[in-house]
Amino acid sequence: DAGVIQSPRHEVTEMGQEVTLRCKPISGHNSLFWYRQTMMRGLELLIYFNNNVPIDDSGMPEDRFSAKMPNASFSTLKIQPSEPRDSAVYFCASTRTEKNTEAFFGQGTRLTVV
Amino acid sequence: GENVEQHPSTLSVQEGDSAVIKCTYSDSASNYFPWYKQELGKRPQLIIDIRSNVGEKKDQRIAVTLNKTAKHFSLHITETQPEDSAVYFCAASNPNFNKFYFGSGTKLNVKP
């Protein structure tokens, strides 16, 4: 397996534009997490899906953020409209729910909003 | 939800010395505690983990200890090397939700 795949790796956009980040989890994994990483706040859990269903989105900062998981092999995180303070590295991670096991991270998407 | 606190935020040691990073958690239902290492510009990767039925686990120069009563766990790195320089994250997982709550990270600098 190629691991968790995220795209794009880098994204630079202007304030007010819509941004869509994509994630393909490891095949067979049924839990998917979106994290945001900044120097100030470290790793923040934004949303958690289990079997494609959003279980906890309490970490989503505000209504400008939304996430979907239409099937077991694909998820998106959308920011509309984007703001400079959204600049961060966004990680997607996946794992198997049964038994506590390691979460595997994607390479991350470095988002810069100017 | 879970609250994971990690200390220190930065740690500088001389090559060959030991490094210790400590974490506390709040949810007594948490029973899985992984540690991740993140090198500059890369993704976090698991280096060692421990489950609540074990008090200590060791893998070469890395060891983790867990005190469930006190709700704290620690990462110990012995004979540190420059390549150990990275940001280390602890995490706690609740078995009911399998959510990984991460600590804020410790930036370890090993000076040659």
Side-chain angles (χ1 to χ4, degrees):
Chain A
D1 199 311
V4 177
I5 299 173
Q6 290 185 246
S7 64
R9 292 290 307 277
H10 303 274
E11 176 80 32
V12 180
T13 190
E14 291 185 348
M15 182 174 64
Q17 296 297 307
E18 177 180 294
V19 175
T20 299
L21 312 182
R22 297 173 176 78
C23 176
K24 182 181 186 308
I26 292 174
S27 178
H29 283 189
N30 57 0
S31 290
L32 183 140
F33 312 87
W34 280 101
Y35 289 94
R36 178 172 68 178
Q37 185 175 33
T38 60
M39 289 292 291
M40 293 295 292
R41 296 182 176 177
L43 273 173
E44 300 176 275
L45 176 63
L46 299 177
I47 188 168
Y48 156 56
F49 290 90
N50 181 248
N51 293 325
N52 313 337
V53 176
I55 301 300
D56 183 356
D57 64 355
S58 59
M60 296 286 263
E62 47 198 276
D63 292 344
R64 297 184 297 106
F65 285 69
S66 62
K68 294 182 180 180
M69 192 163 186
N71 57 62
S73 59
F74 184 64
S75 177
T76 59
L77 177 68
K78 186 176 293 186
I79 308 172
Q80 166 64 18
S82 58
E83 297 182 2
R85 59 194 169 113
D86 301 331
S87 298
V89 179
Y90 291 81
F91 285 103
C92 173
S94 72
T95 187
R96 296 178 67 95
T97 301
E98 71 278 13
K99 314 280 185 185
N100 280 313
T101 55
E102 173 185 0
F104 291 85
F105 283 78
Q107 294 273 36
T109 294
R110 180 173 295 277
L111 173 65
T112 303
V113 183
V114 298
Chain B
E2 176 68 274
N3 181 37
V4 178
E5 295 190 356
Q6 182 171 348
H7 302 279
S9 56
T10 58
L11 179 60
S12 188
V13 300
Q14 205 66 40
E15 182 178 359
D17 289 348
S18 295
V20 181
I21 303 171
K22 299 181 179 181
C23 288
T24 60
Y25 63 98
S26 60
D27 186 352
S28 57
S30 294
N31 67 356
Y32 175 60
F33 307 92
W35 285 88
Y36 286 78
K37 176 183 180 182
Q38 186 180 26
E39 296 178 345
L40 188 63
K42 297 188 177 181
R43 77 188 90 183
Q45 292 190 291
L46 181 78
I47 54 171
I48 195 168
D49 56 14
I50 191 167
R51 288 178 170 77
S52 59
N53 58 344
V54 176
E56 184 174 0
K57 184 176 179 180
K58 191 172 182 180
D59 182 4
Q60 299 182 344
R61 296 186 297 108
I62 294 173
V64 58
T65 59
L66 171 65
N67 184 327
K68 283 218 72 177
T69 303
K71 295 183 193 168
H72 66 70
F73 55 113
S74 301
L75 177 71
H76 304 253
I77 306 174
T78 58
E79 301 173 23
T80 54
Q81 301 168 2
E83 52 265 39
D84 294 329
S85 296
V87 178
Y88 291 81
F89 292 95
C90 63
S93 176
N94 182 313
N96 295 322
F97 300 101
N98 201 41
K99 290 188 290 186
F100 283 77
Y101 293 96
F102 281 89
S104 53
T106 296
K107 185 174 183 179
L108 174 63
N109 179 36
V110 180
K111 295 177 286 186

